[in-house]
Amino acid sequence: MSAVPAGSPFDLDDDAAYRDWRQRKLAACPRSVSELLVEVADPLQLTATERAALLDRCARSNMAVYVSPPRAGAAAEIPRRIGEQLGLRTLDVNYLADDDGITPLAVADSGVRSAYIPYTNRAIRWHTDGYYNPPQRRIRAMILHCVQRAESGGENRLLDHELAFIALRDESPAHIRALMLADAMTIPARSEEGEVARGDQTGPVFSVDADGSLHMRYTARTRSIAWKDDAAVRAATEALQRILESDPHVLRLRQEPGMGIVCNNVLHDRAAFADSPQHRRLVLRARYYERIEAPALMHGPMPTATIAAA
Ligand SMILES: [Fe+2]
C-alpha cells in the first residue's frame, strides 16, 4: 500500500479526519453540471475573475468547464494556454499525439489510430486517463477541449474520484483497503491506446500523492486488464461499478464547440456518437503530470458552497 500521511482523510485508521473532510467535501460539491460552467471571453488570456472561478470549481470538485466562443483557427493553442494559466505545465506526450502533446480525438477511418477506441465513434467506458501509465508518468490532470461536436451523442459522464472514494468507503472501508493494494490492478503490456511497448503496469486504484491528494487509476473495461484474484477486490470493483451507474453525484455534459473540461483526472466516460458532414466531432486532449493549482485562498479548509450557477 502506498504510504498515506498521518491526518489524511484517506487514511482508513483516521476516522475523524475522514468524517471532517467528507462533511466539507459533500457540502461544497456541485449539485448540477451548471455549477461547473465558467464563461470565458478569451481562453488564451483569462481574466483574474475567470481564472479564480475555474480554480474554485476545481478545488471543490476536481473539475470545471470553461465556455468560450467557438473559433476556427489556433484551436490547439487553447488547451495548452488554458492549462498553463491553471498551473499545468508538463504534458504527457503520447505515441499517437501530435508532436506537441495535444491529441486530436476524432474518428480515424484508417491508419494506426483507427485501431483504438478513442479514434472511433464507439462508447468509452468509465475510466481515468492514463491508468496504464507507469508511476513516473502519472496523469494528474487533463483537458478536453471541444472544437466540434458530433451530430448526435458523444456526451461525457463525470464523477469526481473523491466522491467515488466517499461512496465506496461509506459502503465499506474494506473496499478502499482492497483498492489501495499495490497489486489490485494490472494492465498487461502493450495493450492500450497508443502506448509504445512497455511492461505490465501493476498498481493500486487509489493512492495518495506526495502532496496529500488522492489519485485514482481505473478502467471499467474488462479486456486488457487483470484484477487481483481476491474476494475483497472483486467486491470493491463490483461496488464501484454500481456507484458509477447510480451515484447522484454523476454529472452529464455534452460539450459544444468552444467548451472544455479541465479536471484533476476525474472518472469519466463517453457515449457513442454519430458524425455528419457539418458536425464531425473533434476534441483536443491534453494530459498533465501536475494537478490544477489550488486557488490562492484555498490552503485552509474548503469554502462552503456559495457559488451561483453560471
Ligand atoms: Fe479519457
Side-chain angles (χ1 to χ4, degrees):
M1 186 186 293
S2 59
V4 180
S8 166
F10 311 120
D11 178 0
L12 288 174
D13 295 328
D14 195 337
D15 206 50
Y18 171 66
R19 296 283 149 209
D20 179 53
W21 170 79
R22 176 188 183 280
Q23 187 192 6
R24 287 180 293 123
K25 176 83 192 176
L26 293 176
C29 76
R31 299 290 181 272
S32 80
V33 77
S34 64
E35 291 181 41
L36 295 179
L37 304 183
V38 177
E39 296 220 22
V40 309
D42 179 5
L44 300 179
Q45 214 163 356
L46 298 173
T47 66
T49 309
E50 292 164 351
R51 181 173 174 278
L54 289 168
L55 295 180
D56 167 78
R57 282 152 183 79
C58 291
R60 300 168 194 278
S61 55
N62 283 310
M63 60 184 126
V65 177
Y66 58 85
V67 183
S68 70
R71 61 168 77 195
E77 270 311 296
I78 296 177
R80 177 195 306 284
R81 288 288 301 129
I82 286 270
E84 283 169 8
Q85 293 171 90
L86 302 178
L88 303 174
R89 295 171 302 279
T90 318
L91 281 158
D92 180 53
V93 179
N94 162 299
Y95 150 67
L96 293 181
D98 284 354
D99 286 346
D100 60 3
I102 307 286
T103 306
L105 300 175
V107 174
D109 294 322
S110 60
V112 65
R113 281 179 174 166
S114 61
Y116 296 97
I117 293 181
Y119 307 97
T120 70
N121 61 2
R122 303 208 302 272
I124 304 177
R125 302 176 75 165
W126 282 101
H127 65 282
T128 59
D129 270 28
Y131 58 83
Y132 40 80
N133 275 18
Q136 66 276 17
R137 287 177 53 212
R138 176 177 272 196
I139 303 301
R140 296 184 177 83
M142 59 119 177
I143 297 176
L144 291 171
H145 175 79
C146 178
V147 179
Q148 183 55 263
R149 67 169 170 84
E151 183 63 41
S152 63
E155 302 88 346
N156 292 109
R157 286 188 295 178
L158 301 155
L159 179 63
D160 181 346
H161 57 295
E162 293 180 357
L163 295 176
F165 179 99
I166 288 174
L168 283 163
R169 193 194 192 287
D170 286 357
E171 187 172 309
S172 169
H175 292 335
I176 301 299
R177 197 167 290 115
L179 296 179
M180 282 185 160
L181 291 173
D183 59 352
M185 162 187 183
T186 298
I187 311 300
R190 320 176 102 215
S191 62
E192 280 306 326
E193 172 206 338
E195 292 299 302
V196 291
R198 49 152 177 71
D200 288 359
Q201 292 305 326
T202 297
V205 172
F206 286 117
S207 58
V208 178
D209 255 328
D211 68 352
S213 56
L214 184 71
H215 189 267
M216 187 174 191
R217 293 166 68 238
Y218 179 69
T219 176
R221 67 183 301 177
T222 50
R223 282 185 302 158
S224 305
I225 175 167
W227 289 98
K228 184 182 171 83
D229 186 13
D230 173 85
V233 171
R234 241 179 335 268
T237 55
E238 284 167 12
L240 179 54
Q241 282 172 33
R242 247 186 294 117
I243 287 161
L244 290 169
E245 293 310 319
S246 61
D247 195 279
H249 294 105
V250 170
L251 302 175
R252 287 177 171 73
L253 177 68
R254 186 188 187 201
Q255 292 202 94
E256 292 291 332
M259 293 173 70
I261 299 166
V262 296
C263 69
N264 288 320
N265 201 3
V266 297
L267 288 155
H268 59 286
D269 75 352
R270 180 189 81 187
F273 62 89
D275 281 341
S276 70
Q278 292 75 35
H279 290 287
R280 187 169 178 271
R281 192 179 194 271
L282 172 60
V283 171
L284 302 177
R285 183 188 65 200
R287 292 167 164 173
Y288 298 92
Y289 301 147
E290 295 89 13
R291 273 171 67 85
I292 295 158
E293 195 174 304
L297 298 173
M298 274 297 299
H299 297 297
M302 271 189 284
T304 51
T306 53
I307 45 174

